[in-house]
Amino acid sequence: MFAVPGFVWATGSTFGAQSTVAPSLVKLARDGVPWFVAVLVVTGFLKLFGALIGIGLTRPRGSRISRLMVFCGGGAATLLTWHGGLFVVHGVLVEAGAVSVEPDLAALTAWYLYLWGPWFIVGGLAFAGATALYVRQRDDRGKLRLYCTVGALGALVLSVASTATGIG
């Protein structure tokens, strides 16, 4: 379900986006800007891949697949929690008056603070819980914890770098 809006917006429809997403992003989707459509489609497929990882973490797999699952599960937990946390922290700062935003973005602050941010955080915590439970049920916990940690740290480095450079 999480991937559906991205695919819908990639078609040029902005259903559900106009009041909940930044106007500049809505315009990119409505205008069918090729690079943005590609971003929407790629993120849609990444969300579908995430769903497969989530489903895969529900029962034991072979050792190679297990390593991939916990690597991706740790990375997804970190990416989602970090992303949602940024939304919440920024929203709190805006609501407290510590940070100002452009007037056309002010109405969106509540959406990011109360819907999008918590939604991403809950998703990240769900991945963290599913990955921890998966690892706990395996005999090769030590090795799997290492893969999970590498995935989580890699995602954190990627997230911090993209935030610092203004990309994410």
Side-chain angles (χ1 to χ4, degrees):
M1 292 299 293
F2 195 46
V4 170
F7 289 124
V8 169
W9 298 338
T11 68
S13 170
T14 56
F15 177 77
Q18 293 174 333
S19 63
T20 64
V21 178
S24 60
L25 299 178
V26 172
K27 183 174 177 3
L28 290 171
R30 190 179 325 111
D31 294 347
V33 175
W35 69 266
F36 191 68
V37 170
V39 166
L40 290 170
V41 170
V42 167
T43 57
F45 280 114
L46 286 173
K47 291 170 186 176
L48 291 175
F49 179 72
L52 292 176
I53 296 298
I55 291 166
L57 288 168
T58 62
R59 62 180 210 184
R61 309 286 173 184
S63 62
R64 286 180 101 163
I65 297 295
S66 290
R67 290 189 299 255
L68 176 65
M69 295 288 202
V70 298
F71 176 83
C72 292
T78 301
L79 285 171
L80 291 170
T81 306
W82 171 267
H83 193 65
L86 289 176
F87 284 162
V88 169
V89 168
H90 184 262
V92 167
L93 291 173
V94 170
E95 293 289 321
V99 174
S100 62
V101 294
E102 296 177 28
D104 62 332
L105 297 178
L108 295 174
T109 300
W111 283 104
Y112 283 86
L113 174 58
Y114 300 113
L115 175 68
W116 296 121
W119 184 253
F120 277 92
I121 291 170
V122 167
L125 294 176
F127 266 105
T131 304
L133 187 60
Y134 185 87
V135 169
R136 193 175 308 134
Q137 296 172 350
R138 299 290 304 209
D139 292 334
D140 54 347
R141 295 184 218 19
K143 184 173 268 189
L144 290 178
R145 281 189 191 111
L146 176 64
Y147 278 89
C148 181
T149 302
V150 170
L153 290 175
L156 183 60
V157 167
L158 178 66
S159 297
V160 170
S162 67
T163 300
T165 60
I167 295 170

